[in-house]
Amino acid sequence: MRIFLVLIPLLLNGCSPIWEEQPYEVYYIGGTKKLGYSLGQGTYIGRLDEPINIKSNEKYISAYACPHKICAFYYIDKTKDNKFAEHNEFVYGPYKKVQFAAIAK
């Protein structure tokens, strides 16, 4: 019984998103980690594959990600994003570190 009580919180924690700032969450699908726009009830619209490090403020989400095993910097303009928007309207990148540092200033 004790083992069961210990395993329940671990299993529930395993189902929670890795990073979350509504409406955005990092989730797994088909063995791939993705940053997505949550529509609720476990439904997402993918925004970026294989995010490694994510930071955000009121207007932007910046991420270091490695889609297709090629790592680079990206940012999402949250003011332009919505569930009906096309990916290329608000996700910018890939950028090298120097390029991204200049944009961030």
Side-chain angles (χ1 to χ4, degrees):
M1 182 66 169
R2 288 182 188 179
I3 293 174
F4 182 72
L5 293 175
V6 171
L7 289 177
I8 293 295
L10 291 174
L11 292 172
L12 291 176
N13 191 35
C15 297
S16 65
I18 298 167
W19 180 88
E20 179 178 9
E21 180 182 289
Q22 289 300 320
Y24 301 94
E25 293 182 17
V26 173
Y27 62 98
Y28 281 93
I29 187 163
T32 301
K33 183 167 53 168
K34 295 182 176 265
L35 172 61
Y37 189 99
S38 176
L39 299 176
Q41 299 179 345
T43 306
Y44 303 93
I45 300 171
R47 297 299 188 225
L48 190 59
D49 290 348
E50 298 297 344
I52 305 286
N53 189 8
I54 302 169
K55 306 268 186 206
S56 69
N57 62 25
E58 289 179 13
K59 291 183 163 187
Y60 302 103
I61 295 175
S62 63
Y64 182 71
C66 301
H68 310 293
K69 304 212 186 280
I70 300 171
C71 298
F73 293 88
Y74 298 83
Y75 75 93
I76 296 172
D77 185 337
K78 296 193 292 189
T79 63
K80 294 180 181 178
D81 192 5
N82 65 72
K83 64 183 178 181
F84 302 110
E86 293 294 325
H87 180 267
N88 60 354
E89 295 177 34
F90 54 85
V91 177
Y92 302 93
Y95 296 105
K96 293 180 181 177
K97 187 175 185 176
V98 173
Q99 294 171 308
F100 192 73
I103 291 168
K105 287 183 182 183

